[in-house]
Amino acid sequence: MNISSEDIRLSYDTAEILKGVSLQAGNKEFVGLIGPNGSGKSTLLKCMYRVLSPGGGCVYLDGAPLNSLSYKESARRMAVVAQHNYYNFDFSVREVVLMGRSPHKRAMERDNARDYAIVEEALEKVGMSAFADRNFSTLSGGEQQRVILARALAQQTPCLILDEPTNHLDITHQLQLLRIVKTLDTTVIAAIHDLNIAAMFCDRIYVLERGKIAGQGAPGDVLTREMIQKIYHVDSEIVKDSRGRTHILFI
Amino acid sequence: MEKQEVSNKKTDVFHTSLFVLVLILLAAGLVLSVMAAITFGNADISLKDVYSVVGCEVLKMKRFSEFSEGSVHDVVWLIRFPRVVLALAVGMGLSVCGVVMQAIVKNPLADPYILGVSSGASLGATFAIMLGVGSFLGGNFVGIMAFVGAMITSFLVMAIANMGGRANAGKLILAGTAVSSVCSAFSSFIIFIVNDNNATAEVMRWTMGSLSGADWARAAVILPVVLVCTLIFWTQYRSLNLMLLGDEVSITLGTNLHKNRTVYLILSSVIVGAAVYAAGMIGFVGLVIPHVIRILFGTDHKRLIPLSALLGSIFLIWADVASRILLKNAEMPIGILVSLIGAPCFIYLLVKRSYGFGGGRS
């Protein structure tokens, strides 16, 4: 599925956060969004998953303007894993994942055997089957994010948005989560902080700087010394390893 | 892996059948509680007579027709029975309201009493009783005014708590306390100014909470209202679950809760209005009962709502029985009794860190 944004603008009071951002992700493409803190990555993604409504511009899912879809319809096409997931209440892991089925449910419809099967399958994909009856709040950060990913999988959407899902996770769990995502057969748009991780997983990268796209392309083309100097104001050295992958060393 | 799945399915079936079993047990317990509660009271009436009256009125058995009138009939059927029914309705209503308000504010410390909604209902009722405000609304105008008061305060508390950024538990409870104080002060002011002894006694009865004014006319209005609202909330379990995850997550899961929240606030105001109209201010039921159910059965509203409704009714029926028999020749206001149990529980919940007061560990 294609997802694209066209000329997205958003201002808080007088501060313009997004100054006309257009990007697009093709079918089954893994698109990364990088940029310094405050560049508008999260704001842009929030516009795409409808938590914020942009002041101008439009988001399209397979050509359909997002505003023409109901929330249920958009939640059947696009699932989200975001950074903050803390609950005051104790849900079991299975209950949390089961909520991923709600966009597929009519008002009074009950959860059926198929929903439960989908939940089990999603838990298995993220390697959390053994935790199904555990209390969500007793899990570690990495485990919680995997459960949230399972919830997104239970939505069975052709598109997945990752809003810095690996914040607060150590390198093991960052890699683990993104590797699971990489095996999925879906379009992915992910805001990623760590440039090396972005280089590892993305098919294409957009660079966001102060609410504008400052560059885009394959990781090897975008992640250059000059670009990193310009955007992040740090010196770096770009190394290709034996497999031809890009690594960034900060000096 | 397959084994894992089978065992998961098994635990699922186990959970579901356990839930159904407990639901049936609680429903049976509720019926038994009603039947037992009508045997308690000041008048000395034998069990046989009590149940003969029930047999006559409920089952319409010809055999007991001699009990269709007389003082025994009146005490059991016109005084005790409606009172127990009202206790059932109020207990159910307050518990369900507690559950819903906790979902709305995403914090297990919410309760109609703590958020000031009960005080608002009480103020509305005071206006009606003391000043006759709203008397054009018909026979149940006191109840309607209580509902109006409850609704205004619930929206007011939400609005105050949302000022200057998102509401958190601390702000909500402060806003609730503040609004509650204002309402109580106003009620007292009206009582003081009007200075009508009968009405003052009536309002006093309300602020302390009592079911002693129960009659069938009131029970016949309040029980259906509470039952219907409870059933509506039960059908909303999915949205209530999503509410706990927050607005952003619910949007990504396909539900915009903005409208739901308003509707739920109005519905719960209906319940609180009805409960306050029936029994005055009874605090903490909506706090303690859902908490107990959550410990035992988790947070899923599919289970939480019906179980809390049943346990709440049973609890209030017995609290009312206790308030009738604890003191000799006098009745203890049930509100006082319940607060004596509920307030310490509230303090306990407040202190327990794991409950993330105001956003907690995040």
Side-chain angles (χ1 to χ4, degrees):
Chain A
M1 138 157 202
N2 288 304
I3 176 165
S4 61
S5 78
E6 250 181 55
D7 197 30
I8 298 285
R9 293 170 186 279
L10 187 107
S11 316
Y12 289 125
D13 297 326
T14 53
E16 219 181 354
I17 310 291
L18 298 175
K19 302 166 186 162
V21 181
S22 303
L23 61 76
Q24 68 104 15
N27 195 23
K28 297 184 182 168
E29 195 178 20
F30 195 125
V31 170
L33 197 57
I34 63 169
N37 289 336
S39 59
K41 295 189 298 287
S42 232
T43 311
L44 174 63
L45 289 185
K46 283 201 166 98
C47 289
M48 299 186 86
Y49 61 78
R50 305 187 91 172
V51 165
L52 294 173
S53 36
C58 190
V59 177
Y60 297 92
L61 298 181
D62 265 344
L66 200 52
N67 291 333
S68 70
L69 303 174
S70 72
Y71 285 102
K72 270 213 163 108
E73 284 167 332
S74 59
R76 275 183 233 143
R77 299 179 194 197
M78 152 176 88
V80 180
V81 180
Q83 25 186 328
H84 172 84
N85 281 293
Y86 169 76
Y87 309 128
N88 258 338
F89 292 84
D90 293 336
F91 281 111
S92 77
V93 166
R94 182 181 282 109
E95 282 163 353
V96 171
V97 179
L98 193 58
M99 285 187 221
R101 297 302 299 155
S102 44
H104 298 272
K105 294 282 156 190
R106 270 164 295 153
M108 306 272 237
E109 198 178 341
R110 293 170 49 112
D111 305 309
N112 53 33
R114 185 160 169 267
D115 295 316
Y116 280 98
I118 290 168
V119 167
E120 300 304 334
E121 196 188 319
L123 279 171
E124 179 154 359
K125 259 193 200 147
V126 301
M128 293 294 290
S129 294
F131 294 75
D133 292 307
R134 281 272 297 275
N135 219 323
F136 180 79
S137 55
T138 63
L139 303 182
S140 73
E143 289 163 346
Q144 289 192 344
Q145 278 308 51
R146 276 192 280 158
V147 172
I148 298 302
L149 177 60
R151 185 179 73 198
L153 297 184
Q155 281 176 256
Q156 296 193 311
T157 57
C159 171
L160 188 61
I161 293 187
L162 308 178
D163 190 355
E164 299 188 21
T166 58
N167 273 14
H168 321 297
L169 296 190
D170 61 36
I171 187 69
T172 317
H173 291 103
Q174 289 191 21
L175 293 176
Q176 183 184 41
L177 192 85
L178 288 169
R179 281 194 179 123
I180 297 167
V181 172
K182 192 76 180 169
T183 62
L184 304 170
D185 216 14
T186 54
T187 307
V188 178
I189 297 186
I192 297 175
H193 244 302
D194 189 311
L195 300 183
N196 281 308
I197 288 194
M200 263 179 90
F201 289 98
C202 299
D203 300 322
R204 216 147 46 81
I205 289 179
Y206 281 89
V207 185
L208 205 58
E209 191 201 16
R210 283 190 223 133
K212 273 188 163 156
I213 300 285
Q216 65 99 7
D221 302 335
V222 172
L223 297 170
T224 58
R225 263 191 78 181
E226 297 73 41
M227 178 63 96
I228 292 167
Q229 174 65 39
K230 181 175 157 252
I231 303 291
Y232 291 94
H233 313 293
V234 287
D235 275 330
S236 60
E237 205 171 300
I238 313 290
V239 187
K240 299 262 182 196
D241 68 14
S242 52
R243 280 169 293 183
R245 289 201 301 213
T246 307
H247 293 270
I248 299 139
L249 308 173
F250 298 104
I251 302 164
Chain B
M1 230 54 237
E2 229 162 63
K3 227 178 214 169
Q4 179 71 48
E5 238 166 63
V6 171
S7 82
N8 277 341
K9 210 164 263 169
K10 258 189 199 151
T11 49
D12 248 26
V13 172
F14 171 72
H15 278 304
T16 310
S17 45
L18 184 71
F19 161 68
V20 172
L21 181 71
V22 172
L23 197 66
I24 292 168
L25 281 180
L26 279 178
L30 181 58
V31 174
L32 287 179
S33 298
V34 170
M35 297 312 284
I38 52 172
T39 63
F40 291 94
N42 276 328
D44 201 10
I45 302 172
S46 74
L47 284 181
K48 187 165 165 284
D49 286 1
V50 168
Y51 290 121
S52 300
V53 173
V54 174
C56 164
E57 284 287 350
V58 179
L59 306 173
K60 306 285 179 210
M61 285 174 161
K62 285 267 154 46
R63 189 143 70 84
F64 301 120
S65 55
E66 54 179 305
F67 287 96
S68 65
E69 54 191 345
S71 63
V72 169
H73 168 267
D74 288 354
V75 168
V76 173
W77 187 248
L78 298 182
I79 297 177
R80 288 186 188 170
F81 215 106
R83 179 171 181 153
V84 172
V85 169
L86 217 49
L88 180 161
V90 170
M92 181 179 290
L94 290 176
S95 306
V96 172
C97 265
V99 170
V100 173
M101 288 187 173
Q102 285 151 20
I104 290 174
V105 308
K106 283 187 286 178
N107 195 289
L109 295 175
D111 160 70
Y113 188 73
I114 292 160
L115 291 187
V117 182
S118 297
S119 302
S122 182
L123 177 62
T126 309
F127 263 110
I129 299 172
M130 303 297 278
L131 306 174
V133 177
S135 56
F136 62 90
L137 293 166
N140 281 318
F141 76 100
V142 178
I144 296 173
M145 286 300 289
F147 154 66
V148 172
M151 195 165 71
I152 292 173
T153 37
S154 31
F155 281 97
L156 189 65
V157 168
M158 288 294 280
I160 293 175
N162 275 315
M163 261 176 212
R166 277 275 168 79
N168 59 34
K171 274 163 83 185
L172 266 164
I173 288 168
L174 284 177
T177 315
V179 170
S180 170
S181 308
V182 171
C183 291
S184 306
F186 252 107
S187 301
S188 307
F189 176 72
I190 294 169
I191 296 165
F192 182 74
I193 290 295
V194 175
N195 198 14
D196 168 343
N197 280 338
N198 282 339
T200 307
E202 168 88 338
V203 171
M204 270 293 271
R205 192 177 67 74
W206 277 43
T207 48
M208 288 190 190
S210 169
L211 287 154
S212 60
D215 54 35
W216 276 118
R218 227 177 253 193
V221 176
I222 286 160
L223 183 66
V225 166
V226 170
L227 278 179
V228 167
C229 291
T230 302
L231 285 176
I232 293 175
F233 279 134
W234 196 7
T235 65
Q236 298 294 308
Y237 71 90
R238 219 184 285 277
S239 303
L240 287 166
N241 282 345
L242 286 176
M243 225 167 229
L244 295 183
L245 305 189
D247 285 14
E248 296 196 359
V249 175
S250 346
I251 284 179
T252 68
L253 290 174
T255 313
N256 189 358
L257 291 170
H258 196 73
K259 239 184 252 158
N260 298 44
R261 191 172 293 121
T262 311
V263 173
Y264 296 170
L265 269 181
I266 293 172
L267 272 183
S268 50
S269 305
V270 171
I271 299 185
V272 175
V276 169
Y277 175 47
M281 302 234 284
I282 301 177
F284 303 109
V285 177
L287 187 80
V288 176
I289 302 294
H291 184 70
V292 171
I293 299 290
R294 269 199 206 97
I295 289 176
L296 299 173
F297 294 95
T299 305
D300 188 354
H301 285 85
K302 192 163 51 172
R303 290 159 196 195
L304 188 55
I305 296 247
L307 295 180
S308 298
L310 289 174
L311 188 65
S313 337
I314 295 173
F315 173 76
L316 214 67
I317 288 174
W318 286 105
D320 184 49
V321 168
S323 77
R324 273 186 279 162
I325 61 175
L326 270 183
L327 302 180
K328 256 216 155 72
N329 300 324
E331 221 186 280
M332 190 165 163
I334 188 173
I336 296 179
L337 184 74
V338 174
S339 290
L340 283 177
I341 307 167
C345 295
F346 177 58
I347 294 172
Y348 169 75
L349 291 184
L350 206 63
V351 172
K352 216 176 114 192
R353 227 191 87 77
S354 67
Y355 251 126
F357 191 59
R361 294 175 293 184
S362 58

